[in-house]
């Protein structure tokens, strides 16, 4: 057995160990403000979602309504890296109990035993982690087991079995089959009565949902970075609303066999993955159209490669007289850990590749590797704070990237 397959087998066995009815998973990508990658390391420790706190820690939740910064000690084992410690789960709630305008209202896991712990070390930024809490009926969870994925193979193994994990959204999963989902629905969530009639009979394609969000948000005048993030969040909520409408009747009716359940669950997961991968690309394309940025979408370059966007056009790219320094390429990936390598050979004429991502943080070491390979990250302004301090000056906002395209690649008029 290869070393790689042995590690995957170890991970699979671990998942089975924490898959009983008494376990609740919180799966997330670590941002820089979850680890020691930011300068305020005294606050380091992963943020824990409100949905998890209220589900797994009822007593702590009740105390948070009347006591400042309630906490508890949670025996913890990081099985992926053979570490153990007693963590402090603390709910910083000065905004709630003291009505401080600039106060905090968030829960974090702290006291990892130093900056070299596998979960909070700087290089853990961007990693996919499973926090498995052991539940106690009517009481607070009494133990925590953690697995930080050690390779892209482990990440893929996990994502194939649970669902997509949206950056910045803590996802709760009961491994016995009771899917608890993401954080509470936001302002774009639709009731059954609000879902358009044509979407009730057939699940709409991704571009139809994107266009619906654009028509109803009416935010074309907002800064492009804020526009992208707000539309992405809104589209996610609308998608989940439609999914609930179509899926819940089938779930309530039950299944006649395990195979029928597996097939249904697989169809849901595949649709979620398809939406996640396509949504960002469609949202960015719409913004380019609104802002009059010249581009070609999913064109063919060398050897049938299809980058997401070429600027100013694929005709200019294939025109040998068009200077290479006046060409740009942009890839759009929701998460980029290790998958960034896919963009390196997508456009041979363009030396510096730009990669737009919504991932909330990569490690300094990984970012250095990207830059050495000729890849520059484009990150919406609202997410920059989730990156290590050393990386922040190297990031490019979407607005900055568009300005660069306009000044470097030329206008539409020059193309004709």
């Amino acid at each position: 057995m290869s070393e790689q397959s042995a590690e995957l087998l170890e991970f699979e066995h671990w998942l089975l160990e924490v898959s009983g009815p008494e376990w609740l998973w919180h799966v997330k990508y670590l941002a820089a403000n979850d680890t020691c990658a930011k300068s305020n390391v005294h606050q380091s420790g992963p943020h824990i979602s409100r949905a998890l706190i209220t589900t797994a820690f009822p007593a702590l939740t009740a105390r948070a309504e009347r006591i400042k910064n309630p906490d508890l000690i949670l025996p913890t084992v990081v099985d992926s890296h053979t570490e153990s410690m007693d963590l402090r789960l603390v709910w910083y709630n000065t905004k709630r109990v003291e009505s401080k305008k600039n106060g905090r209202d968030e829960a974090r896991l702290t006291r990892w035993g130093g900056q070299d712990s596998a979960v909070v070390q700087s290089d853990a930024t961007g990693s996919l982690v499973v926090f498995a809490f052991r539940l106690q009926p009517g009481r607070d969870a009494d133990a925590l087991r953690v697995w930080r994925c050690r390779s892209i193979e482990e990440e893929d193994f996990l994502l194939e079995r649970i669902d997509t994990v949206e950056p910045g959204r803590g996802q709760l999963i009961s491994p016995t089959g009771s899917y608890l989902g993401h954080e509470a629905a936001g302002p774009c969530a639709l009731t059954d009565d609000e879902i358009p009639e044509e979407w009730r009979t057939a699940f709409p394609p991704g571009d139809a949902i994107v266009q619906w969000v654009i028509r109803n948000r009416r935010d074309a005048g907002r800064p492009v970075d804020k526009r992208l993030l707000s539309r992405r969040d809104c589209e996610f909520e609308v998608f989940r609303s439609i999914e609930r409408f179509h899926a819940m009747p089938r779930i309530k009716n039950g299944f006649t066999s395990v195979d029928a359940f597996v097939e249904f669950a697989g169809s849901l997961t595949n649709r979620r993955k398809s939406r996640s991968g396509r949504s960002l690309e469609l949202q960015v394309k719409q913004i380019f159209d609104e802002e009059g940025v010249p581009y070609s979408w999913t064109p063919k370059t060398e050897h049938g490669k299809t980058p997401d966007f070429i600027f100013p056009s694929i005709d200019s790219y294939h025109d040998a007289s068009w200077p290479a320094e006046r060409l740009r390429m942009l890839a759009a990936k929701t998460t980029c850990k290790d998958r960034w390598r896919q963009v390196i050979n997508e456009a041979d004429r363009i030396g510096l590749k730009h990669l737009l991502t919504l991932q909330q943080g990569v490690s300094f070491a990984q970012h250095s590797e990207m830059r050495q390979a000729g890849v520059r990250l484009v990150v919406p302004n609202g997410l920059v704070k989730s990156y290590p301090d050393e990386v922040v000056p190297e990031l490019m906002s979407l607005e900055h990237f568009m300005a660069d395209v306009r000044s470097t690649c030329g206008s539409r008029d020059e193309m004709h």
Side-chain angles (χ1 to χ4, degrees):
M1 181 181 296
S2 68
E3 180 179 350
Q4 183 179 92
S5 61
E7 286 190 351
L8 285 181
L9 185 60
E10 180 187 11
F11 184 32
E12 182 177 17
H13 286 168
W14 183 85
L15 291 173
L16 290 173
E17 289 178 11
V18 296
S19 290
E22 72 276 21
W23 293 97
L24 177 64
W25 297 355
H26 181 49
V27 185
K28 67 176 293 183
Y29 288 100
L30 294 177
N33 50 22
D34 289 320
T35 70
C36 294
K38 303 297 283 185
S39 58
N40 56 336
V41 294
H42 64 283
Q43 295 181 355
S44 63
H47 171 267
I48 299 299
S49 75
R50 183 71 51 80
L52 180 130
I53 290 290
T54 56
T55 301
F57 297 92
L60 184 67
T61 299
R63 291 165 57 204
E65 295 299 325
R66 63 183 189 278
I67 299 174
K68 179 180 176 180
N69 298 343
D71 64 352
L72 56 80
I73 300 302
L74 195 61
T76 301
V77 177
V78 183
D79 294 287
S80 58
H81 292 73
T82 321
E83 297 178 354
S84 62
M85 68 283 289
D86 288 334
L87 294 182
R88 180 190 182 215
L89 173 59
V90 55
W91 190 332
Y92 298 105
N93 64 350
T94 52
K95 185 175 182 179
R96 175 186 298 260
V97 300
E98 297 181 352
S99 299
K100 288 186 176 181
K101 184 178 181 180
N102 296 322
R104 301 169 66 183
D105 191 14
E106 63 178 19
R108 289 187 179 272
L109 289 165
T110 64
R111 297 183 183 173
W112 289 86
Q115 299 182 27
D116 293 331
S117 177
V119 175
V120 298
Q121 62 184 233
S122 180
D123 282 349
T125 306
S127 297
L128 186 61
V129 179
V130 182
F131 298 90
F133 295 84
R134 188 172 66 191
L135 304 177
Q136 297 293 313
R139 295 182 291 153
D140 290 340
D142 67 350
L144 171 62
R145 295 180 65 181
V146 183
W147 192 281
R148 172 191 157 194
C149 290
R150 301 168 294 188
S151 64
I152 193 64
E153 289 76 21
E154 288 188 353
E155 289 193 7
D156 289 341
F157 184 85
L158 176 63
L159 294 173
E160 285 173 3
R161 284 152 181 79
I162 61 168
D163 192 0
T164 58
V165 178
E166 292 283 326
R169 295 180 182 271
Q171 181 180 145
L172 290 189
I173 296 175
S174 173
T176 55
S178 175
Y179 173 74
L180 298 176
H182 300 265
E183 293 285 2
C188 286
L190 302 177
T191 65
D192 289 352
D193 292 339
E194 292 172 331
I195 294 175
E197 188 66 34
E198 64 271 21
W199 294 356
R200 300 184 187 190
T201 55
F203 208 103
D207 58 346
I209 300 177
V210 169
Q211 291 302 319
W212 186 93
V213 168
I214 292 166
R215 289 194 303 272
N216 286 274
R217 294 288 289 184
R218 299 179 181 179
D219 59 356
R222 297 187 70 190
V224 294
D225 292 87
K226 290 183 178 179
R227 198 185 316 168
L228 175 61
L229 293 179
S230 65
R231 287 179 180 179
R232 170 78 178 184
D233 287 344
C234 187
E235 183 256 343
F236 179 84
E237 294 170 10
V238 172
F239 175 89
R240 289 296 200 187
S241 300
I242 304 166
E243 181 185 65
R244 183 198 66 243
F245 177 85
H246 284 274
M248 288 309 298
R250 180 71 181 90
I251 294 173
K252 290 179 179 178
N253 288 336
F255 301 89
T256 57
S257 68
V258 173
D259 288 343
F261 169 76
V262 170
E263 181 180 358
F264 177 75
S267 67
L268 287 183
T269 298
N270 289 337
R271 184 157 55 201
R272 290 173 179 175
K273 290 179 178 179
S274 176
R275 182 215 66 86
S276 180
R278 189 71 163 167
S279 167
L280 179 60
E281 195 177 314
L282 292 172
Q283 297 281 8
V284 173
K285 178 179 179 295
Q286 177 65 34
I287 288 177
F288 289 155
D289 288 338
E290 291 171 355
E291 298 298 315
V293 175
Y295 68 90
S296 290
W297 181 40
T298 61
K300 289 190 181 298
T301 56
E302 298 84 6
H303 313 298
K305 297 290 183 65
T306 55
D308 293 334
F309 299 96
I310 290 288
F311 308 88
S313 72
I314 191 60
D315 290 339
S316 299
Y317 183 87
H318 287 303
D319 182 354
S321 66
W322 188 275
E325 60 269 20
R326 295 188 63 191
L327 296 170
R328 291 290 184 270
M329 187 206 91
L330 181 71
K333 292 184 180 296
T334 307
T335 61
C336 63
K337 186 176 176 61
D338 287 336
R339 294 177 178 84
W340 61 270
R341 302 176 193 279
Q342 298 169 359
V343 312
I344 295 176
N345 299 315
E346 289 184 341
D348 292 348
R349 288 197 67 197
I350 302 174
L352 178 63
K353 312 296 196 297
H354 287 84
L355 171 58
L356 172 68
T357 185
L358 301 182
Q359 183 162 317
Q360 296 193 5
V362 297
S363 69
F364 176 73
Q366 184 181 13
H367 182 262
S368 297
E369 190 176 0
M370 289 180 179
R371 291 307 304 266
Q372 291 173 7
V375 175
R376 184 171 187 183
L377 284 183
V378 179
V379 178
N381 270 329
L383 304 182
V384 168
K385 62 185 179 182
S386 298
Y387 281 74
D389 293 336
E390 307 96 318
V391 173
V392 169
E394 302 292 330
L395 302 178
M396 176 182 272
S397 69
L398 180 58
E399 183 175 9
H400 184 188
F401 173 77
M402 290 168 55
D404 176 64
V405 169
R406 289 192 182 99
S407 64
T408 302
C409 299
S411 67
R412 292 183 188 276
D413 293 339
E414 291 181 74
M415 295 163 51
H416 298 288

